[in-house]
Amino acid sequence: MMESGNKLCLDKFYPEKDLKIVNIRQQKDKIIIQMKSISKACSCPKCSRTTNKYHGMYHRKVQDLPILGKRVQLEIASHEYECINDGCKVTSFAETFRGFLNTYSRICLLYTSDAA
């Protein structure tokens, strides 16, 4: 999707309520998109309890689909949260952005915007 001024609009290709693009760098053979989490809470992957207890930052590099014939790498600074359920065996976990990334994935999953 192109915006006015021939700028590529990427908003519908990632969960914009949870992530913000902070920088895009183009190299000879790849495009690097740096993103940062803007979420305020997250659900535990084990017990599904929502927590806003921030634990730290987690940096991930994942491969995405090519753009204009160039490889695309996402560098994502996501939050780590602590589970607040005393009965849960999970102590801390990184965000998956509503299925945009799996816990151990190194390749982005197909994302469909809620608006689509």
Side-chain angles (χ1 to χ4, degrees), residues 3 20 31 34 46 58 61 69 72 80 84 103 116:
E3 284 185 348
K20 175 183 175 183
I31 298 170
Q34 294 175 313
K46 185 76 172 173
Y58 178 71
K61 291 183 181 181
V72 175
E80 277 188 307
I84 57 174
T103 304

Side-chain angles (χ1 to χ4, degrees), residues 27-55:
Q27 297 178 348
K28 181 180 177 183
D29 61 339
K30 71 179 172 181
I31 298 170
I32 300 169
I33 302 173
Q34 294 175 313
M35 305 176 95
K36 179 182 176 186
S37 173
I38 55 173
S39 71
K40 302 293 183 205
C42 191
S43 295
C44 174
K46 185 76 172 173
C47 71
S48 300
R49 184 136 180 216
T50 300
T51 180
N52 62 358
K53 192 170 182 183
Y54 179 74
H55 179 70

Side-chain angles (χ1 to χ4, degrees), residues 11-28:
D11 292 351
K12 300 300 177 207
F13 297 100
Y14 66 93
E16 61 187 318
K17 293 177 184 174
D18 298 321
L19 286 168
K20 175 183 175 183
I21 294 176
V22 293
N23 191 25
I24 299 174
R25 294 188 329 258
Q26 189 172 176
Q27 297 178 348
K28 181 180 177 183

Side-chain angles (χ1 to χ4, degrees), residues 78-90:
S78 64
H79 295 147
E80 277 188 307
Y81 288 96
E82 290 183 29
C83 185
I84 57 174
N85 179 356
D86 292 334
C88 185
K89 293 182 181 182
V90 172

Side-chain angles (χ1 to χ4, degrees), residues 72-112:
V72 175
Q73 179 177 312
L74 304 180
E75 294 181 354
I76 302 171
S78 64
H79 295 147
E80 277 188 307
Y81 288 96
E82 290 183 29
C83 185
I84 57 174
N85 179 356
D86 292 334
C88 185
K89 293 182 181 182
V90 172
T91 54
S92 67
F93 56 92
E95 301 170 282
T96 61
F97 306 105
R98 297 180 216 168
F100 180 64
L101 298 173
N102 282 337
T103 304
Y104 300 106
S105 69
R106 294 293 172 243
I107 298 176
C108 272
L109 305 173
L110 180 63
Y111 175 74
T112 304

